[in-house]
């Protein structure tokens, strides 16, 4: 089945999307995560890197920078402030607008791992927050952008930020330590909360993460694209494993998921391992002929 056919046939869909949509089509202003990290190293450390060394994940590469930087030792969050500066003011291209308009029309939530506000910069968008949960700018998980205020994260269009956003620089998750903090935060919601956990509650709605993007992640069908889902994506991969465990405990709540990516004509062991990972957690792989079949054509 083609991706365009899928989103027109399936209902109750949410999108999980990464930086691929910003880099399409060969956008010279959009930074890859590797390029962003190298810019940060050049600014904050005397060590010079022109590439991310092998044997180090990009998240570990950030933590090494944090340790090496003299500025951050005396003034925390300087690197995250620079990230906010570098990614602020990005403007949407036509394919951004078409995608957001399609999601809006079909009341499909968007969960993005990106920090920039490209999706939410359209004129009809406003920032909202579920006030039933305590707010922290470290983890603004109850904050979303939409054309109207939502009463339920599962019912209506909204743009949610998994790894933080530039308007709250302390929320930006770049390092392994950051990801581990996010896992701890999510684990408390999912398992340990006194106000109701996901795995120990007969209700899908009344739990401590029910007014955050976690509610969408666990209780909607997911289309995942623009995201490498490589081994360094510890947080998102852990969440997908927990999602599979959730459905094993509550099979009646099971929702489908798809990972959309261009076809790799010569998959190596890493590609084959990722395919096995996706299959093991119940995610279907949809391969396209090119990036246009992901970022442009489906929304026309």
């Amino acid at each position: 089945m083609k991706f365009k056919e899928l989103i027109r046939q399936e209902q109750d869909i949410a999108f999980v999307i990464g930086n691929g949509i910003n880099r399409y089509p060969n956008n010279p202003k959009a930074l890859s995560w590797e390029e962003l990290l190298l810019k940060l190293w050049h600014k904050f450390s005397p060590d010079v890197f022109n590439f991310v060394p092998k044997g180090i994940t990009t998240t570990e590469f950030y933590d090494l920078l944090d340790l090496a930087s003299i500025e951050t030792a005396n003034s925390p969050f300087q690197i995250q402030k620079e990230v906010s500066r570098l990614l602020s003011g990005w403007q949407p291209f036509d394919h951004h607008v078409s995608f957001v308009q399609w999601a809006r029309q079909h009341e499909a939530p968007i969960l993005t791992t990106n920090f920039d506000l490209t999706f939410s910069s359209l004129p009809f968008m406003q920032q909202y927050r579920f006030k039933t949960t305590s707010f922290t700018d470290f983890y603004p998980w109850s904050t979303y952008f939409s054309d109207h205020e939502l009463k339920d994260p599962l019912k209506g269009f909204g743009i949610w930020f998994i790894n933080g956003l530039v308007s709250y620089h302390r929320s930006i998750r770049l390092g392994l330590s950051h990801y581990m903090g996010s896992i701890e935060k999510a684990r408390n919601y999912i398992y340990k909360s006194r106000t109701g956990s996901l795995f120990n509650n007969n209700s899908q709605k009344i739990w401590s993460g029910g007014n955050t993007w976690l509610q969408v992640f666990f209780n909607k069908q997911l289309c995942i694209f623009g995201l490498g889902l490589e081994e360094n994506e510890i947080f998102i991969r852990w969440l997908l494993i927990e999602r599979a465990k959730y459905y094993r405990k509550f099979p009646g709540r099971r929702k489908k998921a798809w990972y959309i990516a261009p076809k790799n004509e010569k998959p190596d062991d890493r590609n084959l391992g990722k395919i096995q990972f996706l299959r093991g957690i119940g995610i279907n792989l949809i391969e396209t002929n090119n990036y246009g079949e992901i970022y442009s054509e489906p929304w026309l």
Side-chain angles (χ1 to χ4, degrees):
M1 180 186 294
K2 291 186 176 181
F3 180 37
K4 188 172 183 177
E5 296 172 355
L6 169 72
I7 60 174
R8 280 156 177 76
Q9 291 181 16
E10 297 289 345
Q11 304 295 317
D12 200 30
I13 280 178
F15 297 101
V16 179
I17 184 165
N19 195 42
I21 195 170
N22 288 335
R23 302 187 71 197
Y24 174 85
N26 299 317
N27 180 6
K29 294 184 178 180
L31 297 170
S32 70
W33 298 134
E34 290 82 1
E35 290 168 338
L36 175 63
L37 287 170
L38 290 172
K39 279 183 174 290
L40 296 173
W41 267 93
H42 280 225
K43 181 176 178 60
F44 288 99
S45 174
D47 295 327
V48 176
F49 288 95
N50 295 316
F51 56 90
V52 179
K54 291 183 178 180
I56 301 175
T57 66
T58 51
T59 50
E60 293 167 342
F61 194 53
Y62 171 85
D63 283 323
L64 292 181
L65 169 60
D66 194 31
L67 290 169
S69 172
I70 298 174
E71 287 188 48
T72 58
N74 300 316
S75 183
F77 311 113
Q78 292 303 307
I79 301 177
Q80 288 155 290
K81 284 182 180 179
E82 178 65 10
V83 172
S84 291
R85 188 190 70 79
L86 289 171
L87 303 185
S88 293
W90 284 14
Q91 296 299 312
F93 286 89
D94 289 344
H95 63 280
H96 289 100
V97 176
S98 298
F99 168 56
V100 173
Q101 290 282 28
W102 193 98
R104 179 192 186 195
Q105 181 182 352
H106 292 82
E107 297 189 333
I110 298 172
L111 310 183
T112 178
T113 60
N114 301 335
F115 314 125
D116 61 89
L117 302 180
T118 305
F119 294 139
S120 50
S121 63
L122 302 184
F124 55 82
M125 304 290 281
Q126 295 186 55
Q127 182 173 332
Y128 298 96
R129 177 172 64 85
F130 279 94
K131 297 180 176 59
T132 52
T133 56
S134 58
F135 175 77
T136 166
D137 68 333
F138 273 92
Y139 300 103
W141 291 1
S142 60
T143 296
Y144 62 96
F145 288 79
S146 182
D147 57 351
H148 67 286
E149 190 167 8
L150 302 176
K151 294 183 179 180
D152 183 342
L154 296 177
K155 295 181 179 179
F157 161 74
I159 297 174
W160 305 77
F161 293 83
I162 293 176
N163 288 333
L165 62 162
V166 294
S167 49
Y168 299 116
H169 68 268
R170 299 201 306 174
S171 72
I172 292 174
R173 311 285 95 184
L174 284 166
L176 178 59
S177 296
H178 289 156
Y179 277 20
M180 295 307 294
S182 293
I183 289 174
E184 182 180 4
K185 179 76 171 178
R187 183 182 290 278
N188 285 334
Y189 276 137
I190 295 168
Y191 287 108
K192 301 179 182 179
S193 174
R194 295 178 181 177
T195 59
S197 64
L198 181 66
F199 274 72
N200 298 309
N201 200 317
N202 291 324
S203 172
Q204 288 176 268
K205 295 183 179 180
I206 306 173
W207 66 288
S208 56
N211 286 329
T212 72
W213 57 263
L214 289 170
Q215 177 75 317
V216 177
F217 193 93
F218 280 90
N219 293 298
K220 280 275 195 181
Q221 299 195 124
L222 299 182
C223 285
I224 306 168
F225 61 93
L227 188 63
L229 272 185
E230 305 296 347
E231 300 94 320
N232 63 312
E233 289 285 351
I234 295 171
F235 183 36
I236 196 79
R237 287 174 70 131
W238 175 81
L239 283 170
L240 290 170
I241 292 171
E242 293 303 308
R243 190 174 187 266
K245 291 179 181 178
Y246 175 59
Y247 294 151
R248 184 174 62 181
K249 182 170 184 178
F250 300 105
R253 301 180 186 180
R254 184 178 299 275
K255 298 289 185 180
K256 299 176 185 176
W258 302 268
Y259 179 71
I260 298 91
K263 187 175 183 180
N264 191 328
E265 298 295 342
K266 296 181 180 180
D268 57 19
D269 289 343
R270 289 186 68 198
N271 297 125
L272 295 174
K274 183 163 67 174
I275 291 171
Q276 185 61 47
F277 171 76
L278 294 171
R279 287 175 179 167
I281 57 176
I283 296 180
N284 301 295
L285 173 65
I286 293 182
E287 294 183 312
T288 65
N289 294 314
N290 52 61
Y291 288 107
E293 291 182 3
I294 303 174
Y295 302 124
S296 180
E297 296 174 20
W299 324 114
L300 301 177

